[in-house]
Amino acid sequence: MLISDIHACDVDPTSSGAPSYVSTFPRVGNDIDPFSELERLIEEEKLSIDFILCPGDITNKASKAPFSYAWEKLNALANKINAGLISTVGNHDVDSRYTNNTYDPSEFIKSLTPKLPTNDVGSFRAFWSENFCLVTSADCNILALNTAAYHGGGKDAEAEMEYGRISPPTLIAIKKALRDAPLRGTNILLCHHHLLKSDISDVSAAGVTRGGDVLVDLLNDRPEAWIVVHGHRHIPELIYGHGGSNSPTIVGSASFSAQINFDAQNKNPNQVHLLTSDPTAAIRSGWVSTGEIRSWTWQPGIGWKKARGPHGLNHVTGFGFRSSVMFLANQIDQYLKGQGKEHVSWNEASLAHPPLSWLIPSDFRALEAALAKFRIAILVDRDGSYAQIGRSS
């Protein structure tokens, strides 16, 4: 599960100047608490979660007490659902303006208990000495990368705070670590800043990671498939990186709890995302990697609901299919004709044609346009989930 950009604060979360709905501010009752409502969602939906991944910006403007508060919340949630917790740090987590410290902008983060990025001592030491660590489990590799490693330093410290950076020595070390890593079906790189300039609401290169394009090239050249998970922009998206057929899948995470007034220019809602990788299906189908992302949207007074609407990720989207959507549309047309039906349920259609579940949003829109050539449309239920696929009269 991806929980990003919490921006925990210490002011009234309902005030117009609050950066987040997660706050240490004392309140009567429990009317605004995205974390407790997320626990309820996980229980009600019976979600199976192996890891909670946090792309950083846990606190806001390096505030220490809110950082500790949100970090405790993340660890408590992980413990309750028996999931691992891996985090990286964002620009707001680092005391780059030396508000609380005069010599080390990351000192407070290093003092946290449990440790960050994980409570494993070896991973902790690697992350803070080499700016990344590689965590390996039975079926996946997760590389946590610190793209805010140089915030608070450099010849032009003020400019350095405006973007992420991966240094050449770090890139060399990552290349070696990946070469030596055990083979796993799922491989995830977790960082805060986006590695590439996005086409969505990012008119400048502000915030983009220096060295990010080199890292994407490095991942593209690997024999195994990689998924990049980042935060920072509060804009959820699902795209492929540049390169060949093995280019990484890139997941931009929404903010978990940004206050609607503080983040008014961003029309995207607060969301959590459940990323599920299916390497077995990828091998069976001949794709690089396949999987789905389920998203829920949070609003104060409403709680976590299945995501729908014009902004953010839909409740269910996928990745992996990198072939012709017109070919897929033609297959669906032939399937309907072969079944002698004008329409079938979405479940029936996706079982017959699994690539329907492996389309990133832009490819899904292209498929809808291709299906329209055959007078076929995809219908959705009231909650935004796909219901039927069929021919219009």
Side-chain angles (χ1 to χ4, degrees):
M1 176 166 278
L2 315 182
I3 300 177
S4 186
D5 292 85
I6 300 169
H7 287 279
C9 62
D10 56 7
V11 299
D12 185 346
T14 63
S15 65
S16 60
S20 175
Y21 289 108
V22 174
S23 175
T24 59
F25 187 83
R27 291 180 58 81
V28 177
N30 198 29
D31 53 339
I32 298 180
D33 189 354
F35 272 108
S36 65
E37 291 175 336
L38 180 58
E39 286 184 19
R40 192 177 308 121
L41 171 72
I42 293 171
E43 183 176 348
E44 291 174 352
E45 296 278 346
K46 295 180 172 57
L47 302 179
S48 177
I49 299 170
D50 296 316
F51 288 96
I52 293 175
L53 303 182
C54 179
D57 273 3
I58 297 171
T59 190
N60 197 66
K61 295 183 177 179
S63 299
K64 295 166 72 173
F67 201 146
S68 295
Y69 175 76
W71 186 236
E72 289 171 4
K73 287 280 190 180
L74 284 167
N75 278 275
L77 176 61
N79 290 334
K80 184 169 185 176
I81 64 176
N82 195 30
L85 172 60
I86 302 176
S87 180
T88 187
V89 295
N91 49 298
H92 275 271
D93 299 324
V94 179
D95 188 13
S96 53
R97 289 180 170 84
Y98 297 94
T99 304
N100 306 308
N101 193 293
T102 60
Y103 54 88
D104 183 0
S106 298
E107 183 181 64
F108 179 73
I109 312 174
K110 297 172 186 174
S111 72
L112 289 169
T113 302
K115 297 183 183 299
L116 185 156
T118 79
N119 203 35
D120 174 71
V121 175
S123 297
F124 172 83
R125 290 173 177 170
F127 185 84
W128 292 109
S129 62
E130 295 192 304
N131 301 327
F132 76 94
C133 66
L134 183 65
V135 179
T136 298
S137 69
D139 54 7
C140 70
N141 290 313
I142 301 174
L143 190 149
L145 173 65
N146 184 1
T147 55
Y150 300 100
H151 283 208
K155 187 175 182 179
D156 190 346
E158 194 68 29
E160 188 68 36
M161 289 186 283
E162 298 301 319
Y163 44 77
R165 182 183 295 278
I166 313 168
S167 70
T170 299
L171 288 165
I172 292 171
I174 290 174
K175 186 175 183 178
K176 182 180 184 303
L178 298 188
R179 187 185 64 218
D180 298 339
L183 184 64
R184 295 292 185 267
T186 300
N187 303 277
I188 297 174
L189 186 143
L190 176 68
C191 60
H192 180 67
H193 297 87
H194 44 302
L195 301 183
L196 301 174
K197 181 180 178 299
S198 174
D199 293 331
I200 303 177
S201 302
D202 193 19
V203 295
S204 71
V208 72
T209 301
R210 273 53 175 170
D213 55 341
V214 180
L215 180 55
V216 170
D217 288 338
L218 190 157
L219 298 178
N220 180 71
D221 292 342
R222 294 293 308 160
E224 70 279 357
W226 279 84
I227 301 168
V228 174
V229 173
H230 72 81
H232 187 57
R233 298 169 59 246
H234 302 192
I235 299 177
E237 65 176 348
L238 179 58
I239 61 175
Y240 298 125
H242 62 242
S245 62
N246 202 44
S247 62
T249 301
I250 299 179
V251 184
S253 303
S255 170
F256 176 75
S257 51
Q259 220 268 23
I260 189 171
N261 295 315
F262 188 82
D263 200 20
Q265 291 185 341
N266 180 11
K267 302 304 181 183
N268 291 280
N270 292 319
Q271 293 186 325
V272 292
H273 314 288
L274 182 61
L275 167 65
T276 303
S277 173
D278 191 349
T280 301
I283 294 172
R284 185 172 59 244
S285 304
W287 307 122
V288 175
S289 63
T290 58
E292 73 168 19
I293 296 178
R294 298 167 66 188
S295 300
W296 291 264
T297 294
W298 183 86
Q299 291 179 280
I302 298 177
W304 293 102
K305 300 295 180 183
K306 291 180 179 180
R308 63 173 304 182
H311 303 290
L313 291 180
N314 286 334
H315 176 53
V316 180
T317 187
F319 59 90
F321 180 76
R322 303 199 193 192
S323 188
S324 166
V325 294
M326 185 57 76
F327 176 75
L328 180 56
N330 183 69
Q331 285 188 314
I332 294 168
D333 173 59
Q334 294 301 314
Y335 178 76
L336 289 175
K337 290 177 179 176
Q339 295 295 308
K341 298 178 180 179
E342 290 298 300
H343 59 80
V344 296
S345 71
W346 179 259
N347 285 340
E348 180 182 340
S350 58
L351 282 173
H353 301 282
L356 282 172
S357 302
W358 303 333
L359 294 160
I360 63 173
S362 61
D363 288 341
F364 194 90
R365 293 190 296 269
L367 174 66
E368 288 183 302
L371 288 171
K373 302 289 185 182
F374 300 95
R375 297 186 298 107
I376 298 173
I378 297 171
L379 304 180
V380 298
D381 279 331
R382 291 181 179 180
D383 64 0
S385 59
Y386 303 121
Q388 287 185 341
I389 184 166
R391 205 179 306 275
S392 58
S393 57

